Amino acid sequence: MELRPFLEKLPKAELHVHIEGTLEPELSFALAQKNNVSLQAKTPQEMIAAYNFHDLPSFLDIYYAGMSVLKDESDFYQLTMHYLRKAATQNIVYVELFFDPQAHTSRGVSFDTVINGIHRARSDAAAELSVQTNLILCFLRDMSAESAMEHLMMAQPHLDKIIGVGLDSDEKNNPPAKFSAVFEKARSMGLKLTMHCDVNQDNTLEHIRQVIEDIGVDRIDHGVNILESEALCNLAREKKLGLTVCPVSNRFVVQSLTSAEIKKMLQYGLMPCINSDDPSYFRAYLNENFIALQEEGDFTVKELVTLAENSFKASWLPDAQKQAYLADLQDYVSEYQEI
């Protein structure tokens, strides 16, 4: 079987993609001109050349600076539609999108502006592209818990647009426990919970323990270091927690797509799935992540299909919708293997 075309057409879900991380240089320049924002780079190519990051803090510096071009509701609409059109071309049929409202309100853009632009694009993409989405509000862990709670309250009028909350940004000295009250409140509001535990961060095993035992998350973002603890692996397996691994993103942090670790996760009965994280900055959307992972790790067809299945199983969709997507996936695999 030729795996590249098989992977490109494979129906899949994406559970770990930051909408701000899909801002392509060309769109950034167009929005900068529209909003009279000055950029350091003179061309999109020069902007890409400046993506010189080697760890989480160096990436975040560039990531947050790039958001300056996003000003009004139409900007967030364009950003989201641009990603969802790309998702449709990659046979991504379902997406749970992260967004970072604090990164926008802190520079004078209202919460309503951000979420209404994103939501309008979600509605249009469902009708025009047959890409279904849900939205996850992420709190910035290098800001205060009080700010996170304030933004959770801002979200109350929009709970019909949000399926869950997450935690991202710089992990150093910002443990999950810092936000325990915020996440407890979010759960009481009927929201699902996830938190980033990025690769090789300080105190990463304690952070993973906190998200599972103390916070009680429904999913873990990244989480590769869980393999260093048999006890934590057992907990995640018992609770059927999905782990949203981002291979190309990992390569910028640990110089590896972590293909060996992903194989171990599968062997241990964990539930990893493959995601793109910030595809514009890492220059790889979901298909490119699958293809690069296969090239590095020589995964079997069964393993690749399992990773795709996990993206639906770990989603926050109702069971009936999960089963419908999984049936479509199996139909595709069966038809492809018969060719």
Side-chain angles (χ1 to χ4, degrees):
M1 180 186 292
E2 274 195 79
L3 285 179
R4 187 184 186 103
F6 172 76
L7 290 171
E8 289 175 340
K9 296 175 183 176
L10 186 70
K12 54 190 80 74
E14 174 137 55
L15 308 181
H16 184 154
V17 57
H18 300 266
I19 193 59
E20 295 90 351
T22 70
L23 180 59
E24 288 288 346
E26 293 79 8
L27 180 57
S28 183
F29 270 80
L31 295 178
Q33 185 175 21
K34 166 184 169 287
N35 293 325
N36 196 28
V37 174
S38 178
L39 297 175
Q40 289 188 343
K42 303 302 181 188
T43 66
Q45 292 73 25
E46 187 177 324
M47 181 177 285
I48 293 169
Y51 292 168
N52 181 24
F53 33 82
H54 55 278
D55 58 15
L56 185 57
S58 64
F59 164 71
L60 291 172
D61 287 343
I62 294 172
Y63 175 71
Y64 290 123
M67 296 183 197
S68 63
V69 301
L70 298 166
K71 296 286 190 181
D72 60 33
E73 187 176 313
S74 69
D75 300 339
F76 290 93
Y77 175 87
Q78 284 192 68
L79 172 67
T80 307
M81 279 302 292
H82 184 276
Y83 165 72
L84 293 175
R85 288 191 184 102
K86 180 71 173 181
T89 68
Q90 297 211 338
N91 292 290
I92 300 169
V93 295
Y94 176 68
V95 184
E96 290 178 2
L97 279 170
F98 291 137
F99 76 114
D100 290 328
Q102 289 160 292
H104 308 298
T105 58
S106 62
R107 56 188 181 85
V109 179
S110 75
F111 186 100
D112 288 357
T113 294
V114 178
I115 197 168
N116 287 337
I118 295 171
H119 181 69
R120 188 158 55 88
R122 291 176 55 216
S123 298
D124 286 353
E128 298 171 18
L129 305 170
S130 296
V131 178
Q132 303 298 317
T133 61
N134 273 303
L135 194 57
I136 300 172
L137 186 168
C138 276
F139 305 113
L140 304 184
R141 66 201 306 154
D142 44 2
M143 296 183 72
S144 69
E146 291 75 17
S147 174
M149 186 68 82
E150 178 185 357
H151 283 76
L152 180 60
M153 294 303 99
M154 289 181 192
Q156 278 194 303
H158 301 281
L159 288 181
D160 60 324
K161 305 181 182 79
I162 300 170
I163 196 171
V165 296
L167 185 69
D168 59 18
S169 201
D170 195 350
E171 296 186 25
K172 189 175 178 64
N173 299 321
N174 295 299
K178 173 181 171 182
F179 299 92
S180 58
V182 181
F183 276 71
E184 184 177 354
K185 178 65 175 177
R187 179 185 283 108
S188 75
M189 295 163 66
L191 297 170
K192 294 286 192 177
L193 312 182
T194 187
M195 287 182 165
H196 278 48
C197 293
D198 215 330
V199 185
N200 289 6
Q201 300 301 298
D202 288 351
N203 301 313
T204 186
L205 287 182
E206 171 59 15
H207 288 187
I208 294 172
R209 188 203 65 76
Q210 286 181 18
V211 303
I212 298 176
E213 293 190 330
D214 301 340
I215 307 297
V217 295
D218 302 288
R219 196 163 66 215
I220 299 173
D221 298 312
H222 297 296
V224 171
N225 295 99
I226 197 171
L227 293 170
E228 298 167 19
S229 167
E230 183 178 354
L232 291 175
C233 284
N234 289 339
L235 272 175
R237 187 169 51 243
E238 290 167 10
K239 294 177 180 293
K240 298 181 179 179
L241 294 179
L243 296 109
T244 64
V245 185
C246 305
V248 174
S249 169
N250 289 345
R251 186 165 59 190
F252 281 88
V253 179
V254 295
Q255 292 70 57
S256 165
L257 297 171
T258 59
S259 57
E261 290 84 351
I262 293 168
K263 282 200 170 194
K264 284 182 182 177
M265 287 179 172
L266 292 173
Q267 291 163 4
Y268 291 174
L270 296 172
M271 197 189 300
C273 60
I274 305 305
N275 304 270
S276 67
D277 203 356
D278 300 284
S280 173
Y281 292 92
F282 297 125
R283 312 311 298 159
Y285 285 81
L286 187 50
N287 279 356
E288 288 77 28
N289 273 267
F290 263 100
I291 292 164
L293 186 69
Q294 163 58 21
E295 290 175 349
E296 179 183 275
D298 194 27
F299 284 71
T300 66
V301 171
K302 182 178 180 181
E303 288 170 331
L304 294 167
V305 171
T306 297
L307 291 169
E309 288 174 340
N310 287 348
S311 69
F312 295 109
K313 291 178 180 178
S315 76
W316 292 337
L317 286 166
D319 284 343
Q321 286 182 266
K322 288 184 184 183
Q323 294 307 316
Y325 279 126
L326 288 167
D328 289 343
L329 172 59
Q330 285 305 321
D331 287 346
Y332 167 78
V333 173
S334 296
E335 290 171 8
Y336 205 96
Q337 289 177 329
E338 289 173 3
I339 296 174

